[in-house]
Amino acid sequence: MTQPVSLISRVSTARLDPADRVAAWEEYNRRALVGLKCSPYAEQGLLATQTNVRFGALRMADIAGNEHVIERTSAACRALPKDSVFASLVLSGEAVFYHGRGCLTLGAGELVVYDTRRSYLFGFAAPMRQLLVDIPRELFAEVPSPAKFDAD
């Protein structure tokens, strides 16, 4: 049976005063997705949009923006816990993903899967767009590893 898709929320910083954009973006993400810190790097400040939808137990965010960095610090992981795995597909632009074990450079069409219980930094040096799938840990744990799939 197919799960219905339902719109949860949508936000844009475009009509906000540039001085208020980062705080509004951080608050929106805290409520809709995950607690994080945002640092814009464009002269006009943060220009970003996000649309969140639900597919059964999964949530998906379509995120677009200009040059910025988001960071989920260890302090945020403790203060604003989230027990999910994120799968982020870069649709346009290039990204740098830093985590405790190293740094990845991602381009359009590349995917990174990461644990929201651990700190990370996602940076974009040019306009970007990504699709992020929020997978509750209990669902992620149910997915068999490739070695467990039956080849028949």
Side-chain angles (χ1 to χ4, degrees):
M1 187 167 115
T2 304
Q3 293 286 330
V5 176
S6 59
L7 176 67
I8 297 172
S9 61
R10 182 176 288 146
V11 70
S12 173
T13 63
R15 294 183 182 207
L16 298 176
D17 184 289
D20 298 330
R21 291 176 183 164
V22 169
W25 187 253
E26 289 175 348
E27 176 60 20
Y28 176 80
N29 276 283
R30 185 190 62 74
R31 287 183 286 107
L33 200 56
V34 70
L36 53 80
K37 179 183 176 207
C38 180
S39 300
Y41 287 94
E43 284 186 34
Q44 68 269 40
L46 180 67
L47 291 173
T49 61
Q50 187 175 143
T51 301
N52 287 280
V53 296
R54 180 180 300 281
F55 301 94
L58 301 178
R59 292 173 59 127
M60 186 176 77
D62 183 347
I63 305 166
N66 59 0
E67 302 91 327
H68 70 284
V69 170
I70 61 103
E71 182 177 15
R72 181 151 167 85
T73 63
S74 295
C77 292
R78 287 187 302 275
L80 302 164
K82 171 102 176 171
D83 199 17
S84 289
V85 172
F86 283 174
S88 293
L89 175 64
V90 177
L91 296 176
S92 63
E94 292 185 346
V96 173
F97 180 81
Y98 176 79
H99 57 100
R101 293 191 174 134
C103 186
L104 303 170
T105 301
L106 303 163
E110 293 185 298
L111 176 79
V112 63
V113 177
Y114 50 101
D115 187 341
T116 61
R117 296 177 305 178
R118 302 190 191 283
S119 59
Y120 58 87
L121 180 143
F122 227 136
F124 305 92
M128 56 71 70
R129 183 169 174 220
Q130 75 182 118
L131 289 179
L132 184 147
V133 179
D134 179 347
I135 309 162
R137 180 159 314 282
E138 64 272 6
L139 284 181
F140 189 79
E142 292 177 10
V143 176
S145 69
K148 294 181 185 176
F149 283 109
D150 187 355
D152 292 343

